[in-house]
Amino acid sequence: MSEKKKIVILGGGYAGVKAGKSLHKIFKNDDSVEITLIDRKTYHTLMTELHEVAGHRTEPDAIRIDLRTIFKGRKVKVVTDSINGVDFEKRELKSDNRTYAYDYLLIACGSDSNSFGIEGIDEHAFTLWSYEDAIKIREHVENMFALAAIEENEEKRKQLLTFAVVGGGFTGVEMVGELGEAKNHLSEKYGIDKKEVTIYNIEATPRILNTLKDEKQITKVENRYKKLGVELLKNAALVKATADGFVLKDGTEIKTKTLIWGAGIKVNNFVGKLGLDAGRAGRVVVNEFMQSLQHENVFLAGDNVHYEDQDGPLPQIVEAAEQSGHTAAENIGALINKTEMHKHKQNYHGFMVSIG
Ligand SMILES: Cc1cc2nc3c(=O)[nH]c(=O)nc-3n(C[C@H](O)[C@H](O)[C@H](O)COP(=O)(O)OP(=O)(O)OC[C@H]3O[C@@H](n4cnc5c(N)ncnc54)[C@H](O)[C@@H]3O)c2cc1C
């Protein structure tokens, strides 16, 4: 009997999970193929709800779904391990403890935060790109209210009650909306006058939510900010962060112990070091089949992909991750079954932003 063909999916995010489900459908009755999904976590994170956990609206457990539960009854074996190397010649993935052989590999490791080398960001700003990040912000924000409640020095109290979110994209806007809501119940809980709380959204360009073309929608968001008491600083590039606050390009200094960086993302750090063709923000360039340009048996999907067609570049959103995961899975299936590969088609239903 010939050995089974091994498909390995690296990453159990939106792209990896969708690919696993699609591959199960293709190969559920085919004993000559085995499918393994490896993620460093035991769970799939609902990334789109991280800000709700960070802002105290959603309980942390609500945004984690056990990967083994997702694939129960499906032909996908889930392995928990953190991969730190790929040998494309030997067709092996490596972790600290072992190696995993593959015949076909799908890399879907997502994004990492990008500080663009701005002084002090890596050391002093919070990021919002994982479950752990969300928990850190959640606990820190509450701690600031608790400390402010017993702080008698006016300047220090003001610093504790100042919160800044950098970036007027979806992540920044959604995070700031949650803080705008959280301040009400945290002020009440710690006996603080909510007028003492300052929340900034800092945006380097003249406009927030640049992906939204309709100016009326931007006005709506800005009006919502006013209602929530959020101060929007536009044309305000942050040039330096310290343990005590940050400095803007025009020299304005703002004192805070809470700086949340939501101003940029790039390819997942590990994927960025694999030596694959790099496009914008280090994302891996793929062809219309979501296939690596260098290795015929390697596919990529989701946020770690750079792909562009007549509909524009693949955006870093859930629908794009799921669709590209599906395309990659179908094309791995096509290679194994020796059928024709399918070109990727982008098709989105629009954007949704929640502001508190
Ligand atoms: C706060 C926030 C709000 C958002 N809101 C929205 C929204 O409203 N709508 C929307 O469409 N998009 C939103 N997004 C973007 C969306 O979450 C991403 O586009 C999506 O998660 C990308 O899916 P992915 O599968 O490519 O990566 P991810 O979902 O990030 O999954 C990557 C997986 O790879 C695993 N992994 C990474 N490296 C390794 C390794 N070396 N070894 C093992 N496992 C590894 C990780 O543990 C993770 O499970 C938001 C993102 C954030 C952070």
Side-chain angles (χ1 to χ4, degrees):
M1 210 175 85
S2 65
E3 217 178 294
K4 289 189 182 197
K5 290 217 166 55
K6 295 183 177 65
I7 304 173
V8 175
I9 303 167
L10 180 57
Y14 295 95
V17 165
K18 180 68 188 177
K21 289 180 177 173
S22 301
L23 283 166
H24 163 78
K25 272 197 188 148
I26 301 170
F27 292 114
K28 63 180 174 214
N29 298 320
D30 186 343
D31 284 341
S32 69
V33 171
E34 64 179 37
I35 307 162
T36 305
L37 183 145
I38 306 176
D39 199 291
R40 57 189 170 200
K41 313 248 172 83
T42 55
Y43 52 85
H44 165 81
T45 308
L46 296 178
M47 301 284 282
T48 56
E49 282 153 49
L50 285 182
H51 55 285
E52 294 180 15
V53 169
H56 287 252
R57 180 144 65 103
T58 301
E59 283 310 311
D61 274 347
I63 68 157
R64 295 193 294 184
I65 308 174
D66 186 74
L67 282 164
R68 285 182 178 80
T69 307
I70 295 177
F71 288 106
K72 202 169 170 203
R74 289 190 168 103
K75 192 197 171 85
V76 178
K77 184 178 158 205
V78 174
V79 171
T80 307
D81 207 348
S82 185
I83 298 300
N84 52 31
V86 183
D87 187 328
F88 292 107
E89 297 312 314
K90 284 194 188 153
R91 303 187 167 192
E92 275 176 0
L93 297 174
K94 293 175 195 165
S95 72
D96 280 346
N97 305 312
R98 58 166 290 188
T99 56
Y100 301 88
Y102 67 82
D103 296 300
Y104 297 90
L105 174 63
L106 170 53
I107 302 175
C109 291
S111 298
D112 268 315
S113 181
N114 190 356
S115 59
F116 304 104
I118 297 172
E119 188 182 338
I121 292 296
D122 290 338
E123 297 82 359
H124 303 297
F126 291 90
T127 52
L128 185 58
W129 208 259
S130 68
Y131 174 81
E132 290 79 9
D133 287 350
I135 297 292
K136 252 194 234 164
I137 295 174
R138 180 187 178 97
E139 290 173 355
H140 172 86
V141 167
E142 176 146 14
N143 194 29
M144 292 301 100
F145 279 85
L147 289 174
I150 51 168
E151 179 57 67
E152 284 168 5
N153 178 302
E154 210 175 302
E155 206 181 311
K156 282 188 185 159
R157 188 172 156 105
K158 186 173 164 50
Q159 183 184 31
L160 292 168
L161 293 174
T162 298
F163 302 87
V165 179
V166 188
F170 289 115
T171 305
V173 167
E174 291 194 322
M175 184 65 239
V176 107
E178 293 299 326
L179 287 176
E181 296 270 7
K183 96 172 166 194
N184 296 329
H185 71 86
L186 287 172
S187 298
E188 202 179 311
K189 183 168 173 184
Y190 290 96
I192 286 167
D193 179 352
K194 65 181 181 193
K195 288 198 205 90
E196 279 190 75
V197 181
T198 312
I199 301 171
Y200 291 105
N201 186 200
I202 316 279
E203 168 54 45
T205 73
R207 189 178 188 274
I208 53 167
L209 296 173
N210 277 316
T211 349
L212 303 184
K213 300 296 165 229
D214 185 352
E215 215 47 56
K216 273 193 242 146
Q217 288 181 325
I218 306 300
T219 310
K220 226 175 169 180
V221 174
E222 292 191 3
N223 286 338
R224 174 90 179 120
Y225 273 12
K226 280 179 198 145
K227 257 199 174 151
L228 289 171
V230 171
E231 285 192 39
L232 173 60
L233 305 184
K234 292 188 272 193
N235 291 309
L238 186 148
V239 291
K240 183 179 168 185
T242 67
D244 280 313
F246 58 91
V247 183
L248 299 177
K249 202 173 166 194
D250 67 2
T252 308
E253 274 188 52
I254 294 178
K255 285 203 180 286
T256 177
K257 290 283 182 191
T258 314
L259 178 63
I260 301 172
W261 183 254
I265 52 169
K266 60 178 167 55
V267 71
N268 167 283
N269 290 331
F270 160 70
V271 177
K273 292 180 191 142
L274 291 177
L276 298 169
D277 273 352
R280 198 159 174 244
R283 296 184 187 102
V284 179
V285 182
V286 293
N287 64 18
E288 67 272 40
F289 308 120
M290 298 295 118
Q291 185 180 31
S292 152
L293 304 183
Q294 289 129 301
H295 308 283
E296 196 207 29
N297 63 333
V298 176
F299 288 74
L300 293 106
D303 271 19
N304 59 195
V305 157
H306 175 110
Y307 172 71
E308 204 159 344
D309 60 18
Q310 68 281 357
D311 297 320
L314 195 86
Q316 284 71 54
I317 59 170
V318 169
E319 275 197 303
E322 293 191 334
Q323 289 170 12
S324 58
H326 178 69
T327 300
E330 288 223 307
N331 289 329
I332 290 173
L335 282 186
I336 294 174
N337 290 330
K338 301 194 173 34
T339 55
E340 208 177 314
M341 292 210 277
H342 296 165
K343 284 188 183 171
H344 186 63
K345 177 94 197 71
Q346 302 195 60
N347 177 23
Y348 310 119
H349 291 93
F351 297 101
M352 196 182 82
V353 192
S354 69
I355 306 165

